[in-house]
Amino acid sequence: MTQAHAPAKVILFGEHAVVYGRPAIAVPVTDVHATVTVEPAQSGKGIAVNARDIAHTVCLDDAPPDEPLALTVRNTLAHLGLHECNLDLTLTITSTIPVASGLGSGAAVAVALIRALSAHLGRPLDAAQISTLAYQTETLFHGTPSGIDNTVVAYEQPVYFKKNYPIEIFGVHTPFWIAIADTGKPGLTRVAVADVRTAWQRDPAHYDALFDAIGRIVDRARRAIETGNVNALGPLMDENQALLRQIDVSSPELETLIAAALRAGAAGAKLCGGGRGGNMIALVTPRNAESIRRALLDAGAKNVIVTGVGT
Ligand code: PMV
């Protein structure tokens, strides 16, 4: 039996603008993860992928071409040159990452699948290869993904990501803490990305100026993280959120949680990921984390994860 894991992720700064070539910063969240185990199956059974949490089994032989789990396995086997082989395997997926919530659950499942399968077949792939394969699955979910999710999940490091540029992994000088709170409303990344594209096509100059402003925040945030200027991060989150509101990807549920976190003493807060629902993040400290967590739950958060970045 072979087992592999992949973490969740949050985008700290730069979502949406990253689709238009501006930079973004994302970090892995190891408190929740996807796990895949690979076991030999009875001879002649072929390959079955069993998503245990949702009682859903996919048999590779009869899955449609756009079934995401089957596609991930097929692409991995093709990459390894093993797609013609008759393999009998059972792949079992479990995940503690909430789905459709901006935490990269789809990318984590794809990365864990690729990692486990390639390791089981004696050909473990490196982070770059895993990321490229997981990107192909991401296109099924998001249409035109920037690639940030598969990158941060495959590399499991803080990344400064710019589409079509080599990925940059960077150091966290002084650890900091964030609370990640779930609105309970599914995030609609695909819809939000499509709506932003329509708005951008109508008024490119206006939207490009907003994306440029977000890009500048990302660069300031990277410098702050690399130099240990944690105090700068809260106001930068607030500035980023103000721009995300202007591009219309926030929602009443997200705004309620953002306001609650700020009232409870968070140094800054913003939505994370596609928006319209899903999760928000707030900058907290070990001292105020528990009261902010309680304030978020009182304000309607379905779940709150407090996690360290660079810890
Ligand atoms: O909702 P998530 O966590 O998949 O993040 C989407 C991030 C966007 O920038 C909105 C889209 C993308 O492909 O980068």
Side-chain angles (χ1 to χ4, degrees), residues 51-128:
R52 211 164 60 193
D53 306 326
I54 50 170
H56 172 62
T57 300
V58 175
C59 295
L60 218 64
D61 285 344
D62 46 47
D66 60 350
E67 203 297 319
L69 302 174
L71 179 86
T72 309
V73 172
R74 285 193 192 112
N75 286 343
T76 305
L77 293 175
H79 182 85
L80 297 172
L82 299 173
H83 49 299
E84 303 283 345
C85 300
N86 291 323
L87 297 168
D88 301 305
L89 297 170
T90 304
L91 289 80
T92 304
I93 303 168
T94 55
S95 177
T96 53
I97 308 172
V99 295
S101 66
L103 296 186
S105 70
V109 166
V111 166
L113 261 180
I114 299 160
R115 212 172 251 164
L117 182 60
S118 60
H120 187 83
L121 296 171
R123 305 266 301 279
L125 297 172
D126 65 21

Side-chain angles (χ1 to χ4, degrees), residues 241-252:
Q241 177 60 20
L243 291 158
L244 288 163
R245 268 180 213 125
Q246 287 187 56
I247 63 173
D248 194 23
V249 291
S250 195
S251 72

Side-chain angles (χ1 to χ4, degrees), residues 25 68 158 181 194 198 224 246 249 266 271 289 304:
I25 290 172
T198 306
Q246 287 187 56
V249 291
L271 67 85
V304 180

Side-chain angles (χ1 to χ4, degrees), residues 9 11 15-16 18-19 102-104 142 145-146 148-149 189 193 273-274:
K9 69 96 219 318
I11 298 180
E15 48 275 272
H16 285 288
V18 69
V19 176
L103 296 186
H142 292 340
S146 63
I148 191 168
D149 279 23
T189 299
V193 168

Side-chain angles (χ1 to χ4, degrees), residues 32-209:
V32 282
H33 52 262
T35 302
V36 172
T37 56
V38 186
E39 293 164 287
Q42 225 181 339
S43 172
K45 283 268 182 199
I47 297 182
V49 188
N50 172 14
R52 211 164 60 193
D53 306 326
I54 50 170
H56 172 62
T57 300
V58 175
C59 295
L60 218 64
D61 285 344
D62 46 47
D66 60 350
E67 203 297 319
L69 302 174
L71 179 86
T72 309
V73 172
R74 285 193 192 112
N75 286 343
T76 305
L77 293 175
H79 182 85
L80 297 172
L82 299 173
H83 49 299
E84 303 283 345
C85 300
N86 291 323
L87 297 168
D88 301 305
L89 297 170
T90 304
L91 289 80
T92 304
I93 303 168
T94 55
S95 177
T96 53
I97 308 172
V99 295
S101 66
L103 296 186
S105 70
V109 166
V111 166
L113 261 180
I114 299 160
R115 212 172 251 164
L117 182 60
S118 60
H120 187 83
L121 296 171
R123 305 266 301 279
L125 297 172
D126 65 21
Q129 293 167 315
I130 292 172
S131 180
T132 303
L133 284 166
Y135 180 79
Q136 295 172 12
T137 309
E138 287 284 285
T139 58
L140 277 186
F141 293 117
H142 292 340
T144 55
S146 63
I148 191 168
D149 279 23
N150 47 284
T151 302
V152 68
V153 170
Y155 283 82
E156 298 187 82
Q157 304 266 2
V159 298
Y160 175 90
F161 179 90
K162 218 168 150 175
K163 207 169 157 177
N164 302 327
Y165 280 77
I167 82 138
E168 292 181 43
I169 288 167
F170 67 96
V172 178
H173 179 285
T174 306
F176 56 93
W177 280 262
I178 52 174
I180 307 169
D182 194 344
T183 59
K185 190 181 162 200
L188 301 172
T189 299
R190 203 189 169 99
V191 177
V193 168
D195 287 353
V196 172
R197 184 164 297 278
T198 306
W200 171 72
Q201 281 163 344
R202 266 195 219 120
D203 192 353
H206 177 60
Y207 277 79
D208 277 327

